[in-house]
Coordinates of all heavy atoms in Angstrom, one line a residue:
A168 N 16.2 13.8 6.1 CA 15.5 14.7 7.0 C 16.6 15.5 7.9 O 17.6 15.0 8.3 CB 14.6 14.0 7.9
N169 N 16.3 16.7 8.2 CA 17.1 17.6 9.0 C 16.4 18.0 10.3 O 15.1 17.8 10.4 CB 17.5 18.9 8.2 CG 18.1 18.6 6.9 OD1 19.2 18.1 6.8 ND2 17.4 19.0 5.9
A170 N 17.2 18.4 11.2 CA 16.5 18.5 12.6 C 15.4 19.6 12.7 O 14.5 19.5 13.6 CB 17.7 18.9 13.6
A171 N 15.3 20.6 11.9 CA 14.3 21.5 11.9 C 13.1 21.3 10.9 O 12.3 22.2 10.8 CB 14.8 23.0 11.7
D172 N 13.1 20.1 10.2 CA 12.2 19.9 9.1 C 10.8 19.7 9.7 O 10.7 19.3 10.9 CB 12.5 18.7 8.3 CG 13.8 19.0 7.3 OD1 14.1 20.2 7.3 OD2 14.2 18.1 6.7
L173 N 9.7 19.9 9.0 CA 8.4 19.6 9.4 C 8.1 18.2 8.7 O 8.5 17.7 7.8 CB 7.4 20.7 8.7 CG 7.5 22.1 9.1 CD1 6.6 23.0 8.3 CD2 7.3 22.2 10.6
L174 N 7.2 17.6 9.5 CA 6.8 16.1 9.2 C 5.3 16.2 8.7 O 4.4 16.8 9.3 CB 6.8 15.3 10.4 CG 6.4 13.8 10.2 CD1 7.6 13.2 9.4 CD2 6.3 13.0 11.6
V175 N 5.3 15.7 7.5 CA 3.9 15.8 6.7 C 3.4 14.5 6.2 O 4.2 13.6 5.9 CB 4.2 16.7 5.4 CG1 2.9 17.0 4.7 CG2 4.8 18.1 5.8
V176 N 2.1 14.3 6.3 CA 1.5 13.1 5.9 C 0.3 13.4 4.9 O -0.2 14.5 4.9 CB 0.9 12.2 7.0 CG1 -0.3 13.0 7.6 CG2 0.6 10.9 6.6
T177 N 0.2 12.6 3.8 CA -0.9 12.7 2.9 C -2.2 11.9 3.4 O -2.1 11.0 4.2 CB -0.5 12.1 1.5 OG1 -0.3 10.7 1.6 CG2 0.8 12.7 0.9
G178 N -3.3 12.4 2.9 CA -4.6 11.8 3.2 C -4.8 11.6 4.7 O -4.5 12.4 5.6
D179 N -5.6 10.4 5.1 CA -5.8 10.1 6.4 C -5.3 8.7 6.7 O -5.1 8.0 5.8 CB -7.3 10.2 6.7 CG -8.1 9.2 6.0 OD1 -8.3 8.0 6.3 OD2 -8.7 9.7 4.8
I180 N -5.1 8.4 8.1 CA -4.5 7.2 8.3 C -5.2 6.3 9.4 O -6.2 7.0 10.1 CB -3.0 7.3 8.8 CG1 -3.0 8.3 10.0 CG2 -2.2 7.9 7.7 CD1 -1.7 8.4 10.7
G181 N -5.0 5.1 9.5 CA -5.7 4.2 10.5 C -6.9 3.4 9.9 O -7.2 2.5 10.5
S182 N -7.5 3.9 8.9 CA -8.7 3.3 8.3 C -8.5 1.9 7.8 O -9.4 1.1 8.0 CB -9.4 4.2 7.3 OG -9.8 5.5 7.8
A183 N -7.5 1.6 7.1 CA -7.2 0.2 6.5 C -7.2 -0.8 7.7 O -7.8 -1.8 7.7 CB -5.8 0.2 5.8
Y184 N -6.6 -0.4 8.8 CA -6.5 -1.3 10.0 C -7.8 -1.6 10.6 O -8.2 -2.8 10.8 CB -5.6 -0.9 11.1 CG -5.5 -1.6 12.3 CD1 -4.6 -2.8 12.3 CD2 -6.3 -1.5 13.4 CE1 -4.6 -3.6 13.4 CE2 -6.3 -2.3 14.5 CZ -5.3 -3.3 14.5 OH -5.3 -4.2 15.6
M185 N -8.7 -0.6 10.7 CA -10.1 -0.7 11.2 C -10.9 -1.6 10.3 O -11.8 -2.2 10.6 CB -10.7 0.6 11.6 CG -10.1 1.2 12.9 SD -10.0 0.0 14.2 CE -11.7 -0.4 14.5
G186 N -10.7 -1.3 9.0 CA -11.4 -2.1 7.9 C -11.2 -3.6 8.1 O -12.1 -4.4 8.0
L187 N -9.8 -3.9 8.4 CA -9.5 -5.2 8.6 C -10.2 -5.8 9.8 O -10.6 -7.0 9.9 CB -8.0 -5.4 8.8 CG -7.4 -6.8 9.1 CD1 -7.7 -7.7 7.9 CD2 -5.9 -6.8 9.3
Q188 N -10.3 -5.0 10.9 CA -11.0 -5.5 12.1 C -12.4 -5.8 11.9 O -13.0 -6.8 12.4 CB -10.9 -4.4 13.2 CG -9.5 -4.1 13.7 CD -8.5 -5.3 13.8 OE1 -8.8 -6.1 14.6 NE2 -7.5 -5.3 13.0
V189 N -13.1 -4.9 11.1 CA -14.4 -5.1 10.8 C -14.6 -6.5 10.0 O -15.5 -7.4 10.2 CB -15.1 -4.0 9.9 CG1 -16.4 -4.3 9.4 CG2 -15.1 -2.7 10.7
L190 N -13.7 -6.7 9.0 CA -13.8 -7.9 8.2 C -13.6 -9.2 9.0 O -14.3 -10.2 8.8 CB -12.8 -7.9 7.0 CG -13.1 -6.9 5.9 CD1 -12.0 -6.6 5.0 CD2 -14.4 -7.3 5.1
E191 N -12.6 -9.0 9.9 CA -12.3 -10.3 10.8 C -13.5 -10.6 11.7 O -13.8 -11.7 12.0 CB -11.2 -9.9 11.6 CG -9.8 -10.0 10.9 CD -9.3 -11.3 10.6 OE1 -9.9 -12.3 11.0 OE2 -8.3 -11.6 9.8
R192 N -14.2 -9.5 12.3 CA -15.4 -9.7 13.1 C -16.5 -10.4 12.4 O -17.2 -11.3 12.8 CB -15.9 -8.4 13.6 CG -17.0 -8.5 14.6 CD -17.5 -7.2 15.1 NE -18.1 -6.4 13.9 CZ -18.6 -5.2 14.1 NH1 -18.5 -4.6 15.3 NH2 -19.2 -4.5 13.1
E193 N -16.7 -9.9 11.0 CA -17.8 -10.5 10.2 C -17.5 -11.9 9.9 O -18.4 -12.6 9.6 CB -18.1 -9.6 9.0 CG -18.6 -8.2 9.4 CD -19.8 -8.2 10.2 OE1 -20.7 -9.0 10.0 OE2 -20.0 -7.3 11.1
K194 N -16.2 -12.2 9.6 CA -15.8 -13.5 9.3 C -16.2 -14.5 10.5 O -16.7 -15.6 10.2 CB -14.3 -13.6 9.1 CG -13.7 -15.0 8.8 CD -12.3 -15.0 8.7 CE -11.7 -16.5 8.6 NZ -10.3 -16.6 8.6
Q195 N -15.9 -14.1 11.7 CA -16.3 -14.8 12.9 C -17.7 -15.1 13.0 O -18.1 -16.2 13.4 CB -15.6 -14.3 14.1 CG -14.1 -14.3 14.2 CD -13.5 -13.5 15.4 OE1 -14.3 -13.1 16.2 NE2 -12.2 -13.3 15.3
V196 N -18.5 -14.0 12.8 CA -20.0 -14.2 12.9 C -20.5 -15.1 11.8 O -21.3 -15.9 12.1 CB -20.6 -12.8 12.6 CG1 -22.1 -12.8 12.4 CG2 -20.3 -11.8 13.8
F197 N -19.9 -15.0 10.6 CA -20.2 -16.0 9.4 C -20.0 -17.4 9.8 O -20.7 -18.2 9.5 CB -19.6 -15.5 8.2 CG -19.8 -16.3 7.0 CD1 -21.1 -16.2 6.3 CD2 -18.9 -17.4 6.6 CE1 -21.2 -17.0 5.2 CE2 -19.2 -18.2 5.5 CZ -20.4 -18.0 4.8
Q198 N -18.8 -17.7 10.5 CA -18.4 -19.0 10.8 C -19.4 -19.6 11.8 O -19.7 -20.8 11.8 CB -17.0 -19.1 11.3 CG -16.0 -18.8 10.3 CD -14.6 -18.6 10.8 OE1 -14.4 -18.4 12.0 NE2 -13.5 -18.8 10.0
V199 N -20.1 -18.8 12.7 CA -21.0 -19.3 13.7 C -22.4 -19.4 13.0 O -22.9 -20.4 13.3 CB -21.1 -18.3 14.8 CG1 -22.2 -18.6 15.7 CG2 -19.8 -18.2 15.6
N200 N -22.7 -18.5 12.1 CA -23.9 -18.6 11.5 C -23.8 -18.3 9.9 O -24.0 -17.1 9.5 CB -25.0 -17.7 12.1 CG -26.4 -17.7 11.4 OD1 -26.7 -18.6 10.6 ND2 -27.2 -16.9 11.8
P201 N -23.6 -19.2 9.1 CA -23.4 -19.0 7.6 C -24.5 -18.4 7.0 O -24.4 -17.8 5.9 CB -23.1 -20.3 7.1 CG -22.6 -21.2 8.2 CD -23.4 -20.6 9.4
N202 N -25.7 -18.4 7.6 CA -26.9 -17.7 6.9 C -26.9 -16.3 7.2 O -27.8 -15.5 6.7 CB -28.1 -18.5 7.4 CG -28.2 -19.9 7.0 OD1 -28.0 -20.2 5.8 ND2 -28.7 -20.8 7.8
N203 N -26.2 -15.8 8.2 CA -26.2 -14.4 8.5 C -25.5 -13.6 7.5 O -24.3 -13.7 7.2 CB -25.5 -14.2 9.9 CG -25.6 -12.7 10.4 OD1 -26.7 -12.2 10.7 ND2 -24.4 -12.2 10.4
Q204 N -26.2 -12.6 6.9 CA -25.7 -11.7 5.8 C -25.2 -10.5 6.6 O -26.0 -9.7 7.2 CB -26.7 -11.4 4.8 CG -27.0 -12.7 3.9 CD -25.7 -13.2 3.2 OE1 -25.0 -12.4 2.5 NE2 -25.6 -14.4 3.2
P205 N -23.9 -10.1 6.5 CA -23.4 -8.9 7.1 C -24.0 -7.6 6.5 O -24.1 -7.5 5.3 CB -22.0 -9.0 6.9 CG -21.7 -9.8 5.7 CD -22.9 -10.8 5.7
D206 N -24.2 -6.6 7.3 CA -24.7 -5.3 6.8 C -23.4 -4.4 7.0 O -23.1 -3.9 8.1 CB -25.8 -4.8 7.6 CG -26.2 -3.4 7.2 OD1 -25.6 -2.9 6.2 OD2 -27.2 -2.8 7.8
L207 N -22.6 -4.1 5.9 CA -21.5 -3.4 6.0 C -21.5 -1.8 5.5 O -20.5 -1.2 5.4 CB -20.4 -4.2 5.1 CG -20.1 -5.5 5.6 CD1 -19.2 -6.3 4.6 CD2 -19.5 -5.6 7.0
D208 N -22.8 -1.4 5.4 CA -22.8 -0.1 4.8 C -22.2 1.1 5.7 O -21.8 2.1 5.2 CB -24.5 0.3 4.8 CG -25.1 -0.5 3.7 OD1 -24.3 -1.0 2.8 OD2 -26.5 -0.5 3.6
A209 N -22.2 0.8 7.0 CA -21.5 1.8 8.0 C -20.0 1.8 7.9 O -19.3 2.5 8.6 CB -22.0 1.5 9.4
Y210 N -19.6 0.7 7.1 CA -18.0 0.6 7.2 C -17.4 0.7 5.8 O -16.3 0.3 5.5 CB -17.7 -0.8 7.7 CG -18.5 -1.0 9.0 CD1 -19.6 -2.0 9.1 CD2 -18.1 -0.5 10.2 CE1 -20.2 -2.2 10.2 CE2 -18.8 -0.7 11.4 CZ -19.9 -1.6 11.4 OH -20.5 -1.9 12.5
T211 N -18.2 1.2 4.7 CA -17.7 1.1 3.5 C -16.3 1.8 3.2 O -15.5 1.2 2.4 CB -18.7 1.8 2.4 OG1 -19.0 3.2 3.0 CG2 -20.0 1.0 2.4
Y212 N -16.1 2.9 3.8 CA -14.8 3.7 3.6 C -13.6 2.8 4.1 O -12.6 2.6 3.5 CB -14.8 4.9 4.1 CG -13.5 5.7 3.9 CD1 -13.1 6.2 2.7 CD2 -12.7 6.0 5.1 CE1 -11.9 6.7 2.6 CE2 -11.5 6.6 4.9 CZ -11.0 7.0 3.7 OH -9.8 7.7 3.5
L213 N -13.8 2.2 5.4 CA -12.8 1.6 6.0 C -12.6 0.2 5.2 O -11.3 -0.2 5.0 CB -13.2 1.2 7.4 CG -13.5 2.3 8.4 CD1 -13.8 1.8 9.8 CD2 -12.6 3.4 8.3
I214 N -13.6 -0.4 4.8 CA -13.3 -1.7 4.1 C -12.6 -1.5 2.7 O -11.8 -2.3 2.3 CB -14.7 -2.5 3.9 CG1 -15.2 -2.9 5.3 CG2 -14.7 -3.6 2.9 CD1 -16.6 -3.5 5.2
E215 N -13.0 -0.5 2.1 CA -12.4 -0.1 0.9 C -10.9 0.1 1.0 O -10.1 -0.1 0.2 CB -13.1 1.2 0.1 CG -12.5 1.4 -1.2 CD -13.2 2.5 -2.0 OE1 -14.2 3.0 -1.4 OE2 -12.8 2.9 -3.1
R216 N -10.6 0.9 2.1 CA -9.1 1.2 2.3 C -8.4 0.0 2.6 O -7.2 -0.1 2.5 CB -9.1 2.2 3.6 CG -9.7 3.6 3.5 CD -8.7 4.4 2.6 NE -7.5 4.9 3.5 CZ -6.6 5.8 3.0 NH1 -6.6 6.1 1.9 NH2 -5.7 6.1 3.9
Q217 N -9.0 -1.1 3.1 CA -8.3 -2.4 3.4 C -8.3 -3.3 2.0 O -7.2 -3.8 1.7 CB -9.0 -3.2 4.5 CG -8.6 -4.5 4.7 CD -7.1 -4.8 5.1 OE1 -6.4 -5.6 4.5 NE2 -6.6 -3.8 5.8
L218 N -9.5 -3.4 1.4 CA -9.5 -4.3 0.3 C -9.1 -3.7 -1.0 O -8.5 -4.3 -2.0 CB -10.9 -4.8 0.1 CG -11.6 -5.7 1.3 CD1 -12.8 -6.3 0.9 CD2 -10.6 -6.9 1.6

Side-chain angles (χ1 to χ4, degrees):
N169 304 297
D172 287 352
L173 298 174
L174 184 65
V175 185
V176 70
T177 64
D179 62 83
I180 58 175
S182 293
Y184 178 85
M185 287 312 297
L187 179 62
Q188 302 315 300
V189 170
L190 290 167
E191 287 285 355
R192 180 184 68 182
E193 295 305 323
K194 176 187 174 182
Q195 292 173 10
V196 171
F197 178 80
Q198 287 173 338
V199 173
N200 182 9
N202 294 319
N203 184 65
Q204 292 298 314
D206 182 4
L207 301 176
D208 289 346
Y210 313 105
T211 50
Y212 178 69
L213 306 185
I214 291 172
E215 183 174 358
R216 292 282 282 184
Q217 171 58 220
L218 296 184

